[in-house]
């Protein structure tokens, strides 16, 4: 079924919020729902909509996959505490790393994350809760790119012909599926979320696994996590749509302390974009690039090479996996 897009210029955020709250209440009825909050603008918006519609009948979880950025679980829980929403953290790190073991193919990685997320972790939570519905922050760009076969977004099931009720035992509600990122930000603002939440740069569902080329292990995630923290800190005032660090699979010869070091490579990407459909690299100054290189090679053990991506999307995509 074709989804009817609501462009940001046609969006009336207050009206949209009111309609979606009514819609969620009507669909869920007297049952209960659960949702997973990652802290991104999409899942944050869905969490607020859901809580306004269902109150305590919506249970919100933060799934700690071990693939998140530095201090992310704590930050997300405390932000939502401030707006009166209780979030429960579920430690699922072992399940995700076990599922990702030995996988190098990008789509297989996404599939492993999807299966672990929906079947192993969420399936169990749903059964424990007796919830019949799962609220999800899928947006139109996720659908477009998945249907076009560019990348399988981990939160797309129905559009791919997968019946979540049959496969995982629950129904999915996607209140944001007619919007793109700019529209979601307007809705988040209308819901009273703080600027920290509605201005947040996008972050992919597969989290840092989308930024590790080759096998995803706790050690390799730790490398990309540290590099990500440096990139985000240094570029926080750049106004970029999104910035990231990517860990490459192949190693290169470097030298440190007069010794040869066959080390890792980090690629930095910083994007200017409106809606993530197309993007151009930020024209970062050489001073900033040099500082990034010095900090990453100095602070992230084992990294001997730092590069900056200068390719537009398309033909690049924003994430590397
Ligand atoms: P790409 O890499 O497809 O990214 O150019 C476009 C935007 O979508 C985000 N992204 C994802 N988000 N699950 C998500 O929820 C995913 O699998 C995924 N892959 C990419 C990406 O961060 C960018 O903002």
């Amino acid at each position: 079924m074709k989804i009817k897009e609501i462009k940001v210029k046609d969006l009336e955020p207050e009206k949209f919020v009111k309609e979606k709250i009514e819609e969620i209440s009507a669909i869920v009825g007297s049952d209960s729902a659960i949702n997973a909050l990652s802290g991104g603008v999409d899942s944050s918006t869905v969490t607020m909509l859901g809580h306004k519609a269902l109150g305590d009948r919506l249970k919100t979880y933060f799934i700690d996959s071990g693939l998140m950025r530095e201090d992310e679980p704590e930050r997300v829980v405390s932000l939502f505490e401030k707006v009166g929403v209780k979030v429960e953290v579920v430690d699922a790190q072992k399940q995700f790393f076990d599922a990702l073991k030995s996988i190098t193919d990008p789509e297989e990685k996404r599939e492993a994350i999807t299966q672990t997320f929906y079947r192993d972790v969420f399936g169990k939570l749903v059964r424990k809760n007796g919830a019949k519905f799962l609220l999800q922050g899928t947006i139109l760009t996720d659908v477009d790119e998945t249907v076009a076969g560019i990348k399988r977004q981990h939160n797309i099931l129905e559009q791919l012909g997968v019946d979540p009720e049959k496969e995982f035992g629950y129904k999915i509600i996607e209140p944001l599926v007619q919007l793109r990122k700019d529209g979601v930000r307007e809705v988040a603002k209308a819901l009273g979320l703080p600027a920290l939440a509605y201005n947040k740069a996008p972050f992919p569902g597969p989290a840092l696994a989308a930024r590790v080329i080759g096998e995803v292990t706790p050690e390799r995630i730790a490398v990309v996590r540290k590099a990500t923290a440096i990139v985000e800190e240094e570029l926080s005032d750049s106004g970029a749509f999104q910035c990231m660090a990517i860990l490459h699979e192949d190693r290169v010869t470097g030298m440190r302390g007069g010794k040869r070091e066959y080390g890792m490579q980090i690629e930095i990407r910083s994007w200017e974009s409106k809606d993530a459909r197309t993007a151009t690299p930020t024209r970062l100054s050489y001073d900033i690039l040099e500082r990034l290189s010095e900090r990453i090679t100095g602070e992230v053990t084992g990294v001997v090479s730092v590069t900056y991506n200068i390719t537009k999307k398309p033909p690049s995509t924003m994430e590397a996996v």
Side-chain angles (χ1 to χ4, degrees):
M1 194 180 67
K2 180 109 176 67
I3 300 163
K4 193 170 176 299
E5 176 172 358
I6 303 176
K7 294 221 162 85
V8 74
K9 67 174 172 50
D10 304 319
L11 176 71
E12 295 175 60
E14 278 81 17
K15 188 163 159 248
F16 181 90
V17 165
K18 192 171 164 282
E19 283 172 5
K20 289 296 159 186
I21 289 174
E22 284 167 8
E23 211 175 289
I24 296 167
S25 305
I27 296 172
V28 177
S30 56
D31 282 320
S32 59
I34 70 172
N35 82 312
L37 170 65
S38 68
V41 64
D42 306 337
S43 70
S44 297
T45 304
V46 156
T47 299
M48 284 305 279
L49 274 177
H51 276 273
K52 286 195 190 259
L54 306 171
D56 287 347
R57 282 185 298 123
L58 175 66
K59 186 110 179 73
T60 297
Y61 293 98
F62 181 96
I63 307 296
D64 186 356
S65 58
L67 307 171
M68 307 305 288
R69 287 171 292 189
E70 238 168 54
D71 303 328
E72 198 117 54
E74 298 78 8
R75 255 186 290 140
V76 173
V77 171
S78 97
L79 189 143
F80 275 85
E81 219 165 46
K82 288 192 188 111
V83 289
V85 174
K86 195 172 161 289
V87 179
E88 191 176 318
V89 178
V90 178
D91 182 356
Q93 300 190 40
K94 186 170 173 346
Q95 279 135 296
F96 279 89
F97 284 119
D98 282 353
L100 286 162
K101 207 166 167 33
S102 318
I103 298 177
T104 54
D105 178 80
E107 290 303 289
E108 282 179 29
K109 262 186 221 174
R110 280 166 196 269
E111 178 65 16
I113 291 171
T114 303
Q115 291 296 333
T116 308
F117 190 90
Y118 289 100
R119 200 192 46 207
D120 305 344
V121 181
F122 243 81
K124 281 198 188 112
L125 287 175
V126 177
R127 265 174 254 128
K128 194 177 97 185
N129 262 271
K132 285 212 178 66
F133 297 92
L134 169 62
L135 237 66
Q136 271 216 146
T138 313
I139 67 169
L140 196 50
T141 315
D142 302 337
V143 179
D144 286 348
E145 297 207 338
T146 303
V147 174
I150 296 167
K151 275 182 191 178
R152 170 158 180 181
Q153 307 281 357
H154 90 123
N155 47 359
I156 305 286
L157 293 167
E158 279 173 300
Q159 284 81 13
L160 287 174
V162 177
D163 181 345
E165 207 174 1
K166 232 196 235 146
E167 288 209 27
F168 309 111
Y170 49 69
K171 288 197 179 97
I172 292 184
I173 307 174
E174 295 175 323
L176 308 179
V177 79
Q178 292 171 277
L179 305 177
R180 298 201 187 266
K181 201 64 101 185
D182 45 1
V184 180
R185 292 193 202 282
E186 292 305 316
V187 173
K189 219 184 282 182
L191 280 162
L193 277 164
L196 209 62
Y198 67 72
N199 277 336
K200 205 163 181 187
F203 188 65
L208 296 174
R211 300 176 182 174
V212 170
I213 302 173
E215 191 182 2
V216 177
T217 62
E219 296 74 26
R220 302 193 78 218
I221 286 288
V223 170
V224 88
R225 177 181 289 130
K226 184 93 189 84
T228 301
I230 295 170
V231 171
E232 289 189 350
E233 191 186 317
E234 291 293 338
L235 301 186
S236 62
D237 296 331
S238 70
F241 177 85
Q242 197 170 12
C243 60
M244 59 191 72
I246 290 155
L247 175 61
H248 280 232
E249 190 170 22
D250 48 346
R251 292 182 172 242
V252 288
T253 301
M255 52 193 288
R256 209 187 299 264
K259 277 204 182 122
R260 179 189 143 93
E261 184 177 324
Y262 197 50
M264 291 178 280
Q265 301 191 71
I266 288 283
E267 175 189 331
I268 298 166
R269 296 184 181 189
S270 176
W271 295 109
E272 302 301 312
S273 178
K274 253 194 144 66
D275 55 17
R277 281 187 290 180
T278 58
T280 51
T282 311
R283 292 188 169 226
L284 294 176
S285 77
Y286 229 89
D287 286 347
I288 293 176
L289 291 170
E290 253 175 20
R291 194 161 59 241
L292 283 166
S293 149
E294 268 157 33
R295 281 198 63 190
I296 293 171
T297 51
E299 297 173 37
V300 190
T301 311
V303 176
V304 295
S305 167
V306 175
T307 55
Y308 184 57
N309 179 58
I310 51 168
T311 316
K312 290 179 183 168
K313 172 182 178 175
S316 179
T317 58
M318 295 168 87
E319 304 289 346
V321 167

